[in-house]
Amino acid sequence: MNKYHISLVMAVGVWLSSCREVLEPRPIDILADQFVLNQASDVATVRLGAYAAFRGTAAPKVIVGDFTADYIQHNGTFTDYQELGNKQITSANGVAGALWGSVYNTVYVCNFLLEKLPTVPGVREAERKRVTAEARFLRGMANFIGATTFGNIPYVTSTNIDANKTIGKTDKATIMTNVLADFQAALTDLPEGSPTDGRPVFAGYATKSAVRAAMARYYLYQKNWAEAEASASAVISTNFYELVNYSDVVSKDFNNESIFEVGYTASDDPGTSAFGLNNLLVGRREVIPSNQFINQIISKESGERQRTVAFDFNAQGGGDNGWSVRKYGTPDEDNNNIVIFRLGEMYLIRAEARAQQGRMTGSTGALNDLNVLRTRAGKNTTVAANKPPLVTSATQAEALLLIERERLYELAFEGHRWYDLVRTGRAQAVMSAFSPNWTPKYELWPIPQTEIQRNPSLAGQQNPGY
């Protein structure tokens, strides 16, 4: 029997002569003898490998989502982050390579499972269905991230290395159609799960709620407002999750709000790597919150969500404003995981979907969902005058801008801002006011230059302007 081997090496840091620190996953065509899937006992290892591969997308996606936007200013020495701070992103940027590589590592491992699992003897049917559904979910997530970041991308459906080396671009609309098909297939066979399983299991592995959360985000991006509302409501109505104190959102892994998150332990924490978020945001302070962002996050409207950041007078000096992001700590601090979906986002998705359908007020209106989050943001504020104000009326246009601001307060540094500005058509207006270097080309990320050079079908297919 042939052995199918998979490289699950997520990334290694290397220095280039330009002193650019880059973290790139090894190409798929460089395979290591790490995994085989020949018998039932192999399934658990490869299943965990799929989750490990997907975990590799998490930190680069946060960096793309928030460092590309108006949240940060450069404060260090790494060229990659200087490009992000100055809004002068190039196709050689290591973040592009890391995210692209992690997307396709995930796709490859999931395809491996989907190809091999049906023929592995001795696997219980219930396990086969669950693992197949997990692979469909994770592959759908990877392709969703790839398409919303890079636009048209190769759609890889097999583990044929030679064929995969020359796959050209597939249009984004087709990719997104296939993403939905993966989500719908996953929803059928994934378990509901239960908080009684323990939060690290319940939120650490795919469940029906995780897929519904993914579909809520998917439909929001696709402007299918009715389905976005329905999917978000389906998650909210399970009562499996609760809006915890916002301090717990900042400082506790696997809290009761988390729907799906990727976890780290002391032995596999990214630590001082080029994409270790604690290293970038706290240790090296390679990037720091922008002054504009600070003015917004410490506002009365933001309320207790200002716990996202902290000020240190001793760090102030030169171009350093003394502020740091607190959402990503160390293993010892119990907040080094990266959240993919949580309940707060579901309320925001539903609020936006309801506003887009013209429903502002009442128990099923957009403002009701917005006020749920503002109430949470003032929950532990003892002086009533200091609580975030609740909103009782707004036009549709006003409500949508309120929700945009609420997403900033609620989801800051969880990887959403740039994606939000692009999907709502607000990127040019917001970002050109923030940086004179911003141009419309930055509404897509560049295909990594190494991929253009490696794949002849991508020659001449770089995204416009790069």
Side-chain angles (χ1 to χ4, degrees):
M1 183 178 292
N2 292 331
K3 291 185 177 182
Y4 289 68
H5 303 294
I6 303 174
S7 171
L8 287 179
V9 177
M10 290 289 90
V12 293
V14 297
W15 283 94
L16 300 184
S17 58
S18 63
C19 294
R20 172 193 300 275
E21 185 170 280
V22 182
L23 195 69
E24 292 193 17
R26 293 169 59 179
I28 289 297
D29 56 345
I30 302 176
L31 299 181
D33 292 343
Q34 291 188 342
F35 292 95
V36 295
L37 187 50
N38 294 328
Q39 54 192 6
S41 59
D42 297 331
V43 173
T45 300
V46 184
R47 172 189 179 235
L48 291 177
Y51 281 97
F54 178 73
R55 187 175 64 172
T57 68
K61 195 263 184 181
V62 170
I63 293 168
V64 167
D66 289 338
F67 294 18
T68 312
D70 52 351
Y71 280 6
I72 62 103
Q73 58 195 53
H74 186 234
N75 192 52
T77 60
F78 292 171
T79 305
D80 288 340
Y81 301 105
Q82 184 180 51
E83 288 184 3
L84 287 162
N86 294 341
K87 310 311 172 197
Q88 295 176 316
I89 303 164
T90 70
S91 60
N93 192 286
V95 178
L99 186 57
W100 181 282
S102 295
V103 162
Y104 285 105
N105 276 348
T106 305
V107 168
Y108 187 89
V109 180
C110 292
N111 286 343
F112 175 80
L113 274 167
L114 293 169
E115 285 179 1
K116 285 289 290 177
L117 191 57
T119 62
V120 177
V123 180
R124 292 178 296 108
E125 186 61 22
E127 181 182 16
R128 199 186 307 272
K129 282 186 174 182
R130 187 191 76 243
V131 175
T132 297
E134 288 175 310
R136 295 290 297 267
F137 170 66
L138 294 172
R139 185 177 69 176
M141 286 295 300
N143 280 315
F144 179 82
I145 293 167
T148 54
T149 304
F150 301 103
N152 301 339
I153 57 173
Y155 185 64
V156 179
T157 59
S158 79
T159 57
N160 185 317
I161 300 300
D162 291 333
N164 291 348
K165 287 179 180 178
T166 58
I167 295 177
K169 286 184 174 182
T170 295
D171 64 277
K172 180 181 176 181
T174 299
I175 299 285
M176 296 297 273
T177 297
N178 293 329
V179 166
L180 181 59
D182 273 344
F183 288 163
Q184 290 172 331
L187 184 62
T188 300
D189 289 326
L190 281 173
E192 285 286 357
S194 169
T196 60
D197 297 333
R199 290 288 170 176
V201 172
F202 185 44
Y205 293 94
T207 61
K208 288 188 187 296
S209 288
V211 181
R212 291 181 183 118
M215 293 174 75
R217 188 185 293 175
Y218 172 92
Y219 286 126
L220 187 76
Y221 278 51
Q222 294 291 88
K223 304 186 189 314
N224 186 333
W225 312 123
E227 291 294 343
E229 178 184 6
S231 295
S233 292
V235 177
I236 293 167
S237 65
T238 64
N239 296 318
F240 287 158
Y241 313 97
E242 62 178 300
L243 292 174
V244 298
N245 290 334
Y246 200 81
S247 60
D248 288 346
V249 171
V250 173
S251 63
K252 290 188 183 299
D253 292 335
F254 294 122
N255 61 64
N256 289 356
E257 184 165 337
S258 180
I259 300 167
F260 185 53
E261 68 182 77
V262 296
Y264 302 91
T265 66
S267 62
D268 64 7
D269 183 76
T272 59
S273 76
F275 291 120
L277 294 176
N278 177 261
N279 181 46
L280 292 174
L281 297 168
V282 181
R284 285 184 55 86
R285 302 184 73 248
E286 183 67 28
V287 299
I288 56 177
S290 68
N291 294 327
Q292 175 178 300
F293 171 79
I294 291 299
N295 287 337
Q296 293 173 295
I297 199 68
I298 64 173
S299 68
K300 181 179 175 180
E301 277 189 352
S302 177
E304 293 165 24
R305 292 170 291 195
Q306 66 186 261
R307 292 176 182 269
T308 297
V309 295
F311 177 72
D312 180 0
F313 177 82
N314 294 321
Q316 236 180 349
D320 193 326
N321 58 22
W323 290 91
S324 297
V325 177
R326 299 178 60 204
K327 276 187 174 174
Y328 301 102
T330 66
D332 291 340
E333 294 170 319
D334 190 34
N335 71 325
N336 64 326
N337 289 357
I338 300 176
V339 173
I340 309 301
F341 300 109
R342 63 180 175 86
L343 187 60
E345 184 192 356
M346 297 301 103
Y347 278 101
L348 287 163
I349 288 173
R350 193 168 72 176
E352 187 172 338
R354 287 173 166 177
Q356 290 285 4
Q357 294 174 88
R359 303 203 319 270
M360 306 306 141
T361 59
S363 61
T364 62
L367 299 184
N368 184 67
D369 284 333
L370 185 147
N371 286 334
V372 166
L373 295 176
R374 290 207 173 177
T375 298
R376 187 258 291 270
K379 179 180 176 181
N380 298 302
T381 303
T382 55
V383 179
N386 294 335
K387 291 178 180 287
L390 302 184
V391 184
T392 57
S393 65
T395 65
Q396 183 182 56
E398 290 169 342
L400 291 171
L401 288 177
L402 283 167
I403 293 163
E404 180 183 295
R405 288 208 305 276
E406 204 69 19
R407 289 182 70 90
L408 181 152
Y409 304 143
E410 182 71 25
L411 303 176
F413 289 96
E414 295 178 29
H416 294 273
R417 177 67 166 174
W418 173 75
Y419 294 99
D420 286 343
L421 294 175
V422 170
R423 69 176 176 79
T424 59
R426 291 266 296 148
Q428 186 61 23
V430 172
M431 292 306 303
S432 60
F434 178 74
S435 171
N437 294 327
W438 182 267
T439 70
K441 76 176 185 179
Y442 296 131
E443 294 187 22
L444 285 176
W445 261 66
I447 297 173
Q449 187 58 34
T450 53
E451 296 300 324
I452 299 286
Q453 295 166 343
R454 185 180 292 133
N455 182 347
S457 296
L458 294 179
Q461 297 297 307
Q462 181 58 272
N463 285 334
Y466 291 101

